[in-house]
Amino acid sequence: DDDDDDDDDAGGMATMMAVSTMHASRAGAAMRGGCAREGGEDAVRSAFKKCCGGAAAAAVRRARRGSAPGRERVMMRAVFPCVVRAAQASDGAVKTNVLVVGGGGREHALCWKLASSASTGALYCAPGNAGIANERGVEMVALDERDHAAVVKFCQEKAIGLVVVGPEAPLVDGLADTLVKANVPVFGPSKSAARLEGSKSFMKDLCAKYNIPTAEYAKFTNVEAAKAYIKSKGAPIVVKTDGLAAGKGVIVAMDVQDALDAVDDMLVGAKFGSAGNEIVVEEFLDGEEASFFAVVGGGKAVALASAQDHKRVGDGDTGLNTGGMGAYSPAPVVTQEITDIVMRDIIKPTVDGMAAEGCPFTGVIFAGLMIAKDGRVKLLEHNIRFGDPECQVLMARLTSDLTALLLAAATGTLEDASVTWSDDSAVVIVMAANGYPGSYAKGEVISGLDAAAGCEGVKVLHAGTASSASGDVVSAGGRVLGVTAYGKSITEAAERAYGAVDVIQWPGGFNRRDIGWRAIAREKQG
């Protein structure tokens, strides 16, 4: 653009100063200040043309033609990436202040990796856990994720340039929408897009409409209709709550009576609360499960490394489904050919379909896959966040800058993203409280954590932990620790992880002893 080159009011000067200090978060805040002033849009456009080139200035000019309420957000989205690129081109010193929302094992893994990213400035986590509290470079803050106004206020006070929302519940609750309206870049989907996980019926209908391969299904709110359908199909069969149930609302029924009982539990007994007001009944798929992750933003998707988790509570994949008892990466079953198929037949049509439905997706898509022996791939479910415990092994292997990647997705500039991985394998063993996934005790002292962390190639990541008044680490949830280890192979990584597990003293806990068994068997076969 060739106008307004000399227009420098106070808002523009503030923006120029922020850019000159190479601090993208402060530049964003300064731009908001400039936009709020009379004539501020012109000043902002002029300042960014001088610092970042004509593209950003033109974007600001186009944004001015929109309605006043939406103008500032459009300008932030257009200009924020330009600030980052300009600073990086200058000396690579740009730092982004980051807030992680959540307090489980996934969030500990994210904080651990974000803290080591070159582009991370100040790093905060709310509410965190006992392990995150001791993670170098991370400051825990007392924020209630349900109080959106408080989260926004904190972001403004601390010049947060990126919010990473770990769990699915705040996303389904619309936290990302609130942050976007406040011009805070956020890695995570809108409330509307979060239905991809928040409603299994929405996800299955999307698959049907856009020809995404998945299991045959039907939806029910009527008990007798659901039971009649199950009897007509026979077993094995799968019964799911439509809504979120903390990873426990999926019943793989190996006989018809178990499926009928699941219908009663969900629709009559309200075992899973409102999540079970509607249920999805689908065909049982046989094969090998795998977890596939893609970072998404601006209509683009970047595949991440593969992983495989273990859902059943007992060795040999027996017992009840859980949120996950362990995982490993890479998953040998996810070959390059499978990756290409998943990106073409599942991820791309999902991203395109969500945009077509008016709810474009930003964040991470976690596709649960079933891979048949003949190589056919079907989608079991979509999730809108990093898997837990898969996130732990992904972060263990990631060697590129996580903050830069997530910020690129949040600002729609994934075409410039770079993702690299260690050649090492990683395994995580989940230590859970006795009784999980049913009822369990809390407040039990756990010791030996420092000794476990000192084992070769080991990182102990906390999930459901807290600090007692006396300073002890105590259990505070069902899945409590994720003992993660690197190795040249899955076999070596698993041996290291189990060696560290055996050092930890917690009589009230348990863990599976066969995590990684499929990959280990493949390695033994050569």
Side-chain angles (χ1 to χ4, degrees):
D1 189 36
D2 59 1
D3 60 341
D4 299 320
D5 279 1
D6 297 321
D7 191 359
D8 264 344
D9 69 0
M13 286 302 293
T15 304
M16 290 279 285
M17 290 173 66
V19 174
S20 69
T21 62
M22 305 305 173
H23 197 306
S25 298
R26 292 182 184 275
M31 192 185 76
R32 288 194 293 272
C35 290
R37 295 178 176 84
E38 184 69 27
E41 294 104 331
D42 289 335
V44 168
R45 179 157 47 91
S46 174
F48 274 93
K49 180 175 180 182
K50 291 178 180 179
C51 292
C52 305
V60 173
R61 187 186 70 248
R62 289 193 299 272
R64 290 187 64 204
R65 298 177 186 141
S67 61
R71 213 159 43 206
E72 186 182 334
R73 179 163 55 165
V74 173
M75 283 188 280
M76 275 293 290
R77 283 180 168 178
V79 175
F80 195 90
C82 298
V83 181
V84 174
R85 284 196 294 270
Q88 289 172 332
S90 175
D91 66 358
V94 62
K95 300 284 186 180
T96 301
N97 293 345
V98 182
L99 169 66
V100 175
V101 175
R106 165 184 46 233
E107 289 74 42
H108 190 179
L110 290 169
C111 285
W112 171 47
K113 188 55 60 171
L114 289 164
S116 68
S117 296
S119 63
T120 300
L123 176 57
Y124 306 92
C125 184
N129 59 39
I132 295 173
N134 290 318
E135 193 67 44
R136 182 177 299 177
V138 186
E139 180 181 340
M140 284 203 338
V141 292
L143 275 178
D144 184 349
E145 64 198 28
R146 297 167 297 181
D147 187 345
H148 293 188
V151 175
V152 168
K153 181 180 179 182
F154 178 84
C155 290
Q156 292 170 339
E157 290 175 348
K158 299 296 184 179
I160 299 297
L162 175 66
V163 175
V164 180
V165 183
E168 63 274 17
L171 297 168
V172 172
D173 190 43
L175 178 58
D177 303 70
T178 302
L179 290 165
V180 168
K181 287 178 183 177
N183 299 317
V184 179
V186 55
F187 182 78
S190 66
K191 182 175 184 176
S192 180
R195 289 179 295 165
L196 196 61
E197 178 173 358
S199 170
K200 292 181 179 66
S201 62
F202 173 84
M203 185 277 289
K204 298 294 283 191
D205 289 346
L206 185 85
C207 290
K209 184 173 183 178
Y210 293 99
N211 299 313
I212 298 168
T214 189
E216 178 185 333
Y217 74 103
K219 305 178 296 182
F220 300 97
T221 55
N222 180 273
V223 174
E224 295 309 316
K227 289 184 175 181
Y229 179 82
I230 289 169
K231 291 175 182 178
S232 72
K233 293 296 182 180
I237 197 164
V238 182
V239 184
K240 301 179 176 181
T241 60
D242 174 62
L244 299 175
K248 302 172 188 176
V250 177
I251 304 299
V252 180
M254 301 312 291
D255 60 65
V256 169
Q257 189 57 51
D258 285 346
L260 300 179
D261 290 344
V263 171
D264 285 333
D265 285 343
M266 294 175 187
L267 290 178
V268 180
K271 181 177 181 179
F272 300 99
S274 61
N277 288 347
E278 182 177 34
I279 64 172
V280 173
V281 181
E282 63 181 40
E283 71 170 313
F284 173 82
L285 297 178
D286 195 18
E288 188 168 347
E289 290 189 45
S291 302
F292 191 96
F293 298 87
V295 169
V296 179
K300 305 289 184 183
V302 176
L304 302 183
S306 62
Q308 191 169 61
D309 77 337
H310 298 259
K311 287 295 186 189
R312 298 299 187 101
V313 70
D315 287 357
D317 293 329
T318 58
L320 295 174
N321 265 357
T322 70
M325 294 300 296
Y328 59 91
S329 176
V333 70
V334 184
T335 62
Q336 186 57 52
E337 180 182 5
I338 294 294
T339 297
D340 293 342
I341 290 171
V342 174
M343 290 297 289
R344 181 193 69 211
D345 296 346
I346 296 177
I347 299 299
K348 187 177 189 305
T350 296
V351 173
D352 293 346
M354 292 292 283
E357 294 297 311
C359 45
F361 192 93
T362 297
V364 63
I365 290 180
F366 161 21
L369 308 176
M370 182 64 78
I371 304 172
K373 291 181 180 179
D374 62 5
R376 289 182 300 163
V377 183
K378 287 190 177 182
L379 177 68
L380 292 174
E381 63 181 4
H382 270 320
N383 300 285
I384 57 169
R385 34 69 189 183
F386 284 104
D388 186 343
E390 295 97 331
C391 185
Q392 287 85 314
V393 290
L394 291 181
M395 295 304 103
R397 295 187 59 227
L398 182 69
T399 56
S400 50
D401 191 306
L402 180 61
T403 300
L405 174 65
L406 304 189
L407 183 61
T411 55
T413 58
L414 271 176
E415 62 272 11
D416 300 326
S418 173
V419 187
T420 57
W421 304 93
S422 167
D423 291 333
D424 282 345
S425 299
V427 171
V428 58
I429 312 298
V430 170
M431 299 186 71
N434 288 335
Y436 175 82
S439 59
Y440 48 82
K442 296 181 180 180
E444 297 179 331
V445 175
I446 304 170
S447 60
L449 294 172
D450 289 341
C455 294
E456 183 178 3
V458 169
K459 175 69 177 180
V460 179
L461 296 166
H462 291 230
T465 64
S467 296
S468 69
S470 60
D472 292 322
V473 172
V474 297
S475 61
R479 295 187 296 164
V480 176
L481 297 170
V483 181
T484 308
Y486 313 82
K488 294 180 181 178
S489 64
I490 299 294
T491 301
E492 182 179 63
E495 289 173 351
R496 288 177 171 179
Y498 278 114
V501 164
D502 292 340
V503 170
I504 295 172
Q505 299 168 22
W506 178 29
F510 77 98
N511 56 272
R512 282 182 57 165
R513 300 296 305 188
D514 64 346
I515 300 302
W517 67 267
R518 290 184 182 88
I520 292 171
R522 284 189 173 98
E523 290 176 353
K524 287 181 178 178
Q525 292 171 0

